[in-house]
Amino acid sequence: MAVTKSPLPKFLQLPQNPSLSQKLMYVGLALTLSFILLAFFAPVLQAIGLLQNPTEFLSNPMHEAPSGRYWFGTSRLGYDVFSRTMFGAQAALQVVIVATALSMVIGVPLGMLSGYMGGKLDKVLLFIMDSIYTLPGLLLSVTLAFVVGRGILNAAIAISIAYIPQYYRVVRNHTVSVKTEVFIEAAQAMGANTWQVLSKYLFFNVIQSVPVLFTLNAADAILVLGGLGFLGLGLPDEVPEWGHDLKQALEALPTGIWWTTLFPGLALTLMVVGLSLFGEGLNDLVNPRLRKQIRN
């Protein structure tokens, strides 16, 4: 009996007997994709009238409990909590993608250049990156947020600085080990300049761990953004953001108004858990030997 081959590429095919780590990775991927869909469809649902404007004050009494009319209830400022939670996913993704992309775009080239060139350049960059790395990420982001101000781009910049050393250190260490390989020496002997060696021969051999680092940093960046919003340093007040909404909700929590805290907090938690599970599972696939060493 002939075996029918799957039309999917090999890396997209699900294993017949997935491990616990792989199962958790699929759960994390499902959660992450769910929030991406929420962020994408929120404006569409608002445009066709199925979702309230998240910045519009409702004429209803404030602090209305969840009901068929307002699924997640309303806040003390008269906002629809369901709409704010949906659009909060959009704000989180915008900031997180920009923040992690900025840190990756800066950290990866610097790590490659530092590891390949060595010498004084490597020592100077190592000193700078280690100095940044020793600072707590949230404290550094809070300090920078004071300087750059509020807004999506400003929040992303404030968050991204803390992650640059992580990309730098990972890529630099891989570059130091790969630059002594025979194919690098052969390229140099054939007259390849520094740019050609970095772009053609080193780049794809030193970025294996970057996607894993990207997902784990994204999960951490959501928490940092929530912290900035809670402190009033993230996005403007009118922009739906889970951390800011939690700050507003905590003032009403002692009076029994639980829904304004529950739903933004649950959304933030699930998105962080989803990205963390996906990142850890991806790390097991990319670095299986490291996981075996830890278990042993």
Side-chain angles (χ1 to χ4, degrees), residues 72-94:
F72 290 180
T74 61
S75 68
R76 73 180 183 87
L77 298 177
Y79 292 128
D80 178 26
V81 177
F82 179 68
S83 179
R84 299 279 298 184
T85 303
M86 290 274 287
F87 276 89
Q90 186 182 69
L93 283 174
Q94 288 175 343

Side-chain angles (χ1 to χ4, degrees), residues 32-48:
T32 303
L33 291 177
S34 298
F35 280 100
I36 293 175
L37 291 176
L38 284 179
F40 179 80
F41 283 108
V44 178
L45 295 176
Q46 181 192 347
I48 61 178

Side-chain angles (χ1 to χ4, degrees), residues 174 203-212 286-287:
H174 284 176
F203 179 74
F204 292 103
N205 288 283
V206 300
I207 61 168
Q208 296 93 337
S209 298
V210 169
V212 176
V286 175
N287 301 308

Side-chain angles (χ1 to χ4, degrees), residues 153-230:
L153 181 58
N154 291 344
I157 293 173
I159 294 172
S160 67
I161 302 300
Y163 300 130
I164 292 175
Q166 298 183 31
Y167 290 99
Y168 167 83
R169 289 158 64 100
V170 168
V171 172
R172 177 197 172 274
N173 292 341
H174 284 176
T175 302
V176 170
S177 61
V178 172
K179 73 176 183 179
T180 57
E181 295 290 338
V182 175
F183 67 92
I184 298 294
E185 296 177 353
Q188 294 169 337
M190 294 175 61
N193 57 34
T194 300
W195 166 250
Q196 290 173 329
V197 172
L198 292 177
S199 60
K200 292 183 179 180
Y201 301 98
L202 270 174
F203 179 74
F204 292 103
N205 288 283
V206 300
I207 61 168
Q208 296 93 337
S209 298
V210 169
V212 176
L213 194 57
F214 185 93
T215 56
L216 296 177
N217 281 346
D220 187 67
I222 291 174
L223 289 175
V224 175
L225 176 63
L228 292 178
F230 192 85

Side-chain angles (χ1 to χ4, degrees), residues 94-280:
Q94 288 175 343
V95 173
V96 165
I97 289 174
V98 174
T100 48
L102 278 174
S103 55
M104 181 175 62
V105 167
I106 296 173
V108 170
L110 286 179
M112 290 176 57
L113 188 63
S114 178
Y116 180 73
M117 299 297 294
K120 292 183 178 179
L121 176 65
D122 185 41
K123 292 180 180 179
V124 171
L125 287 175
L126 267 175
F127 176 77
I128 294 173
M129 294 299 172
D130 286 346
S131 299
I132 297 174
Y133 191 72
T134 57
L135 298 173
L138 179 58
L139 178 60
L140 180 59
S141 298
V142 168
T143 304
L144 292 173
F146 270 115
V147 177
V148 300
R150 304 170 73 181
I152 289 179
L153 181 58
N154 291 344
I157 293 173
I159 294 172
S160 67
I161 302 300
Y163 300 130
I164 292 175
Q166 298 183 31
Y167 290 99
Y168 167 83
R169 289 158 64 100
V170 168
V171 172
R172 177 197 172 274
N173 292 341
H174 284 176
T175 302
V176 170
S177 61
V178 172
K179 73 176 183 179
T180 57
E181 295 290 338
V182 175
F183 67 92
I184 298 294
E185 296 177 353
Q188 294 169 337
M190 294 175 61
N193 57 34
T194 300
W195 166 250
Q196 290 173 329
V197 172
L198 292 177
S199 60
K200 292 183 179 180
Y201 301 98
L202 270 174
F203 179 74
F204 292 103
N205 288 283
V206 300
I207 61 168
Q208 296 93 337
S209 298
V210 169
V212 176
L213 194 57
F214 185 93
T215 56
L216 296 177
N217 281 346
D220 187 67
I222 291 174
L223 289 175
V224 175
L225 176 63
L228 292 178
F230 192 85
L231 295 173
L233 299 172
L235 307 183
D237 292 342
E238 65 275 7
V239 178
E241 195 276 311
W242 294 327
H244 177 265
D245 288 354
L246 282 173
K247 176 187 177 183
Q248 298 293 329
L250 284 178
E251 299 178 7
L253 188 59
T255 63
I257 310 301
W258 53 267
W259 54 89
T260 55
T261 305
L262 174 64
F263 296 112
L266 188 60
L268 190 152
T269 302
L270 288 176
M271 191 169 185
V272 171
V273 169
L275 283 167
S276 299
L277 290 177
F278 180 61
E280 289 293 340

